[in-house]
Amino acid sequence: MEETRKVLYSAVQPTNSLTIGNYIGAIGNWVRQQTKYDCFYAIADMHAITVRQTPAELRQKTRELLALYIACGVDPEACVLYLQSSVPAHAELAWVLNTFTYVGEMERMTQFKDKSQRHAENINMGLLDYPVLMAADILLYQADVVPVGADQKQHLEITRDIAERFNNIYSPTFKVPEPLFTEVGAKIYDLQDPAKKMSKSAENPNGSVFMTDDGDAVMKKFKRAVTDSDGEVRYDEEKKPGVSNLLTIYSAFSGVTVDEAVKSFEGRGYADLKEATGEAVREKLVPIQEEQRRLLADKGYLDGVFRNGAERAARTANKTLEKVYRKVGFYKV
Ligand code: TYM
């Protein structure tokens, strides 16, 4: 008999252009996991609207993100690739989980505090509720592991708390998931300000390398990356955040360990490190971009992946939702 595989769940929001931080921290890691787990990979469009979006752009970004997943090597046959809004169970479970989550807990979330500052004109209920919807995503699929970047750690913790709370009040209903961080690169920093996370919505676009940047832009951004005045290529996150970040990116894109990278740059300067890192990133991005363009031209194929994914995802999600509805006492004829 075939051994049942553990379940893995993750998602990315279809907002702005993804950065190499999203690639290293999330999607690149997904590709490595897809042969080990039963994987569900979503496009979190319901999370995206917690910040105002232009409708036509959101639709376009959604298709682009699906094409990017596949272009990066996520296999729609091996994994369930789907759109969050196409499976109603997400909103339905989020509502139930809301009644097991305290307002104070949500107000303390770092990302909520950050985003409330950045979008002070639109601190909506969805923004506050973001982590509960995320908990619903994960718990619907009874996920064992969730590969995310370090910035999502707090959201994973609250997901575990909500699951345990529900399980304790009723009986075991949800699998309590574990985060899965990449060995290197769970947090990639801004090239212009290595104290900050590299972000899709950075103020200075030179600090973020986008998955859509062409080869020249990639090389330019790495050449301008902020380092330090000490001159030695060495890994020291505290004293040399800029150089350490470059080493992490170099390691993630070239497939060597950080230690091996440090050795190979012995006696060489920062210019060499920047050039080699830019090259490694460019070499990976160019074919991904070509494949993404090819896929985007095939609307029928992408829509088929979405349709098939929605069906397969709903099958699993509805089982959990039904169990939850029964446990909380919803009457069913
Ligand atoms: P999003 O779209 O903001 O981020 C997508 C993924 O990229 C990771 N990430 C990074 N990793 C390393 N270095 C960085 N600089 C960096 N920036 C971003 C994020 O940690 C994330 O893994 N809320 C989620 C989307 C989501 C989700 C879920 C994830 C919705 N439902 C359920 C897991 C499970 C998010 O932040 O997306």
Side-chain angles (χ1 to χ4, degrees):
M1 206 176 78
E2 201 181 302
E3 206 183 316
T4 50
R5 293 206 291 185
K6 289 194 168 178
V7 176
L8 178 149
Y9 187 93
S10 200
V12 171
Q13 300 181 75
T15 48
N16 305 319
S17 274
L18 265 63
T19 70
I20 56 167
N22 300 120
Y23 179 77
I24 300 174
I27 304 175
N29 199 12
W30 297 2
V31 176
R32 284 191 295 277
Q33 308 302 337
Q34 65 187 353
T35 51
K36 294 189 217 148
Y37 296 93
D38 276 343
C39 298
F40 292 86
Y41 293 129
I43 293 180
D45 57 344
M46 290 163 71
H47 279 103
I49 63 164
T50 56
V51 170
R52 210 58 77 217
Q53 305 291 334
T54 307
E57 218 170 87
L58 181 59
R59 264 187 284 275
Q60 177 63 20
K61 294 275 177 212
T62 299
R63 295 179 55 243
E64 283 174 11
L65 187 53
L66 179 65
L68 183 66
Y69 284 180
I70 302 171
C72 286
V74 181
D75 177 0
E77 303 290 324
C79 316
V80 178
L81 287 189
Y82 76 101
L83 185 59
Q84 186 186 30
S85 65
S86 69
V87 179
H90 290 253
E92 294 169 311
L93 181 62
W95 179 256
V96 175
L97 297 183
N98 272 330
T99 66
F100 296 89
T101 311
Y102 301 105
V103 175
E105 289 177 311
M106 295 296 100
E107 285 171 339
R108 282 196 293 275
M109 292 282 128
T110 316
Q111 192 177 319
F112 171 67
K113 288 195 266 186
D114 270 7
K115 286 196 178 170
S116 313
Q117 255 176 12
R118 273 192 285 136
H119 304 279
E121 74 304 336
N122 182 21
I123 307 177
N124 61 72
M125 285 300 293
L127 198 61
L128 182 65
D129 208 25
Y130 184 113
V132 179
L133 179 59
M134 195 165 146
D137 297 345
I138 298 166
L139 300 179
L140 273 176
Y141 299 89
Q142 305 289 350
D144 295 277
V145 291
V146 183
V148 280
D151 61 339
Q152 296 301 310
K153 190 163 177 261
Q154 210 181 21
H155 290 163
L156 254 290
E157 279 161 10
I158 196 75
T159 298
R160 292 169 55 86
D161 289 349
I162 296 171
E164 278 168 359
R165 206 170 285 162
F166 192 98
N167 288 348
N168 287 337
I169 295 174
Y170 301 97
S171 50
T173 308
F174 298 121
K175 182 68 74 57
V176 181
E178 299 283 343
L180 183 72
F181 300 116
T182 46
E183 271 166 52
V184 269
K187 190 164 184 183
I188 298 297
Y189 296 89
D190 190 288
L191 297 186
Q192 290 299 312
D193 179 0
K196 276 199 322 214
K197 171 184 96 161
M198 184 181 284
S199 158
K200 292 177 195 168
S201 48
E203 277 156 36
N204 181 351
N206 287 326
S208 296
V209 178
F210 297 104
M211 294 300 287
T212 47
D213 279 344
D214 64 30
D216 287 349
V218 170
M219 295 308 289
K220 256 194 214 132
K221 287 182 182 181
F222 279 104
K223 271 194 188 128
R224 290 191 198 142
V226 168
T227 46
D228 52 57
S229 54
D230 144 280
E232 192 192 345
V233 178
R234 185 158 54 79
Y235 192 87
D236 183 339
E237 268 179 61
E238 239 159 65
K239 297 204 184 91
K240 300 169 71 67
V243 170
S244 303
N245 191 39
L246 289 174
L247 282 167
T248 304
I249 298 172
Y250 178 78
S251 153
F253 276 90
S254 63
V256 301
T257 66
V258 170
D259 282 348
E260 286 164 350
V262 171
K263 274 204 196 91
S264 71
F265 287 104
E266 231 166 32
R268 294 160 70 191
Y270 293 165
D272 279 4
L273 173 64
K274 290 178 183 182
E275 173 97 20
T277 308
E279 280 294 348
V281 172
R282 177 165 71 176
E283 239 172 65
K284 256 280 172 30
L285 289 199
V286 169
I288 290 177
Q289 291 166 353
E290 276 168 16
E291 179 63 2
Q292 186 192 18
R293 266 195 297 276
R294 192 187 68 76
L295 289 162
L296 274 171
D298 195 347
K299 184 169 183 302
Y301 170 72
L302 292 180
D303 285 353
V305 172
F306 270 136
R307 256 195 299 275
N308 183 264
E311 231 173 79
R312 289 162 70 196
R315 227 175 289 144
T316 303
N318 289 338
K319 272 193 217 147
T320 302
L321 186 70
E322 218 171 280
K323 212 155 72 164
V324 169
Y325 274 18
R326 187 158 31 83
K327 296 220 177 173
V328 298
F330 288 165
Y331 187 79
K332 192 172 177 224
V333 286

PDB file of all heavy atoms in Angstrom, residues 123-135:
ATOM      1  N   ILE A 123      -7.976  51.394   7.050  1.00  0.00           N
ATOM      2  CA  ILE A 123      -7.743  50.298   8.008  1.00  0.00           C
ATOM      3  C   ILE A 123      -9.053  49.531   8.125  1.00  0.00           C
ATOM      4  O   ILE A 123      -9.872  49.795   9.000  1.00  0.00           O
ATOM      5  CB  ILE A 123      -7.271  50.848   9.375  1.00  0.00           C
ATOM      6  CG1 ILE A 123      -6.068  51.774   9.170  1.00  0.00           C
ATOM      7  CG2 ILE A 123      -6.933  49.697  10.332  1.00  0.00           C
ATOM      8  CD1 ILE A 123      -5.560  52.434  10.429  1.00  0.00           C
ATOM      9  N   ASN A 124      -9.260  48.606   7.195  1.00  0.00           N
ATOM     10  CA  ASN A 124     -10.557  47.925   7.116  1.00  0.00           C
ATOM     11  C   ASN A 124     -10.557  46.640   7.942  1.00  0.00           C
ATOM     12  O   ASN A 124      -9.510  46.156   8.384  1.00  0.00           O
ATOM     13  CB  ASN A 124     -10.924  47.680   5.643  1.00  0.00           C
ATOM     14  CG  ASN A 124      -9.904  46.807   4.936  1.00  0.00           C
ATOM     15  OD1 ASN A 124      -9.831  45.606   5.196  1.00  0.00           O
ATOM     16  ND2 ASN A 124      -9.102  47.387   4.056  1.00  0.00           N
ATOM     17  N   MET A 125     -11.742  46.077   8.144  1.00  0.00           N
ATOM     18  CA  MET A 125     -11.873  44.857   8.946  1.00  0.00           C
ATOM     19  C   MET A 125     -11.084  43.696   8.343  1.00  0.00           C
ATOM     20  O   MET A 125     -10.564  42.852   9.063  1.00  0.00           O
ATOM     21  CB  MET A 125     -13.357  44.459   9.049  1.00  0.00           C
ATOM     22  CG  MET A 125     -14.160  45.306   9.996  1.00  0.00           C
ATOM     23  SD  MET A 125     -13.531  45.230  11.671  1.00  0.00           S
ATOM     24  CE  MET A 125     -13.911  43.530  12.063  1.00  0.00           C
ATOM     25  N   GLY A 126     -11.017  43.676   7.009  1.00  0.00           N
ATOM     26  CA  GLY A 126     -10.291  42.592   6.333  1.00  0.00           C
ATOM     27  C   GLY A 126      -8.810  42.607   6.688  1.00  0.00           C
ATOM     28  O   GLY A 126      -8.181  41.556   6.846  1.00  0.00           O
ATOM     29  N   LEU A 127      -8.267  43.805   6.828  1.00  0.00           N
ATOM     30  CA  LEU A 127      -6.845  43.931   7.171  1.00  0.00           C
ATOM     31  C   LEU A 127      -6.593  43.356   8.572  1.00  0.00           C
ATOM     32  O   LEU A 127      -5.611  42.659   8.807  1.00  0.00           O
ATOM     33  CB  LEU A 127      -6.451  45.418   7.114  1.00  0.00           C
ATOM     34  CG  LEU A 127      -4.970  45.726   7.020  1.00  0.00           C
ATOM     35  CD1 LEU A 127      -4.364  45.137   5.763  1.00  0.00           C
ATOM     36  CD2 LEU A 127      -4.752  47.249   7.026  1.00  0.00           C
ATOM     37  N   LEU A 128      -7.532  43.636   9.467  1.00  0.00           N
ATOM     38  CA  LEU A 128      -7.407  43.119  10.828  1.00  0.00           C
ATOM     39  C   LEU A 128      -7.592  41.590  10.827  1.00  0.00           C
ATOM     40  O   LEU A 128      -6.923  40.859  11.553  1.00  0.00           O
ATOM     41  CB  LEU A 128      -8.473  43.783  11.709  1.00  0.00           C
ATOM     42  CG  LEU A 128      -8.485  43.415  13.182  1.00  0.00           C
ATOM     43  CD1 LEU A 128      -7.216  43.882  13.880  1.00  0.00           C
ATOM     44  CD2 LEU A 128      -9.701  44.020  13.885  1.00  0.00           C
ATOM     45  N   ASP A 129      -8.477  41.136   9.961  1.00  0.00           N
ATOM     46  CA  ASP A 129      -8.874  39.728   9.928  1.00  0.00           C
ATOM     47  C   ASP A 129      -7.959  38.851   9.078  1.00  0.00           C
ATOM     48  O   ASP A 129      -8.105  37.626   9.029  1.00  0.00           O
ATOM     49  CB  ASP A 129     -10.297  39.668   9.342  1.00  0.00           C
ATOM     50  CG  ASP A 129     -11.057  38.461   9.858  1.00  0.00           C
ATOM     51  OD1 ASP A 129     -10.717  37.975  10.948  1.00  0.00           O
ATOM     52  OD2 ASP A 129     -11.971  38.012   9.162  1.00  0.00           O
ATOM     53  N   TYR A 130      -7.010  39.475   8.409  1.00  0.00           N
ATOM     54  CA  TYR A 130      -6.099  38.801   7.482  1.00  0.00           C
ATOM     55  C   TYR A 130      -5.566  37.466   8.029  1.00  0.00           C
ATOM     56  O   TYR A 130      -5.629  36.434   7.359  1.00  0.00           O
ATOM     57  CB  TYR A 130      -4.975  39.795   7.175  1.00  0.00           C
ATOM     58  CG  TYR A 130      -3.942  39.404   6.176  1.00  0.00           C
ATOM     59  CD1 TYR A 130      -3.842  40.069   4.946  1.00  0.00           C
ATOM     60  CD2 TYR A 130      -2.998  38.404   6.442  1.00  0.00           C
ATOM     61  CE1 TYR A 130      -2.859  39.741   4.028  1.00  0.00           C
ATOM     62  CE2 TYR A 130      -2.026  38.071   5.527  1.00  0.00           C
ATOM     63  CZ  TYR A 130      -1.959  38.740   4.328  1.00  0.00           C
ATOM     64  OH  TYR A 130      -0.985  38.412   3.418  1.00  0.00           O
ATOM     65  N   PRO A 131      -5.057  37.450   9.273  1.00  0.00           N
ATOM     66  CA  PRO A 131      -4.497  36.184   9.781  1.00  0.00           C
ATOM     67  C   PRO A 131      -5.537  35.087   9.970  1.00  0.00           C
ATOM     68  O   PRO A 131      -5.196  33.903   9.896  1.00  0.00           O
ATOM     69  CB  PRO A 131      -3.893  36.575  11.140  1.00  0.00           C
ATOM     70  CG  PRO A 131      -3.734  38.063  11.092  1.00  0.00           C
ATOM     71  CD  PRO A 131      -4.845  38.565  10.236  1.00  0.00           C
ATOM     72  N   VAL A 132      -6.793  35.460  10.203  1.00  0.00           N
ATOM     73  CA  VAL A 132      -7.824  34.430  10.392  1.00  0.00           C
ATOM     74  C   VAL A 132      -8.139  33.767   9.055  1.00  0.00           C
ATOM     75  O   VAL A 132      -8.294  32.547   8.969  1.00  0.00           O
ATOM     76  CB  VAL A 132      -9.102  35.029  11.030  1.00  0.00           C
ATOM     77  CG1 VAL A 132     -10.167  33.949  11.190  1.00  0.00           C
ATOM     78  CG2 VAL A 132      -8.780  35.660  12.379  1.00  0.00           C
ATOM     79  N   LEU A 133      -8.180  34.581   7.999  1.00  0.00           N
ATOM     80  CA  LEU A 133      -8.386  34.004   6.663  1.00  0.00           C
ATOM     81  C   LEU A 133      -7.211  33.095   6.320  1.00  0.00           C
ATOM     82  O   LEU A 133      -7.381  32.023   5.730  1.00  0.00           O
ATOM     83  CB  LEU A 133      -8.547  35.127   5.627  1.00  0.00           C
ATOM     84  CG  LEU A 133      -8.752  34.677   4.170  1.00  0.00           C
ATOM     85  CD1 LEU A 133      -9.999  33.802   4.021  1.00  0.00           C
ATOM     86  CD2 LEU A 133      -8.849  35.890   3.240  1.00  0.00           C
ATOM     87  N   MET A 134      -6.035  33.502   6.725  1.00  0.00           N
ATOM     88  CA  MET A 134      -4.850  32.684   6.462  1.00  0.00           C
ATOM     89  C   MET A 134      -4.937  31.364   7.246  1.00  0.00           C
ATOM     90  O   MET A 134      -4.600  30.295   6.728  1.00  0.00           O
ATOM     91  CB  MET A 134      -3.607  33.479   6.853  1.00  0.00           C
ATOM     92  CG  MET A 134      -2.356  32.899   6.295  1.00  0.00           C
ATOM     93  SD  MET A 134      -0.997  34.080   6.403  1.00  0.00           S
ATOM     94  CE  MET A 134       0.316  32.920   6.699  1.00  0.00           C
ATOM     95  N   ALA A 135      -5.418  31.453   8.473  1.00  0.00           N
ATOM     96  CA  ALA A 135      -5.606  30.225   9.274  1.00  0.00           C
ATOM     97  C   ALA A 135      -6.612  29.316   8.578  1.00  0.00           C
ATOM     98  O   ALA A 135      -6.410  28.093   8.485  1.00  0.00           O
ATOM     99  CB  ALA A 135      -6.073  30.579  10.679  1.00  0.00           C
TER     100      ALA A 135
END
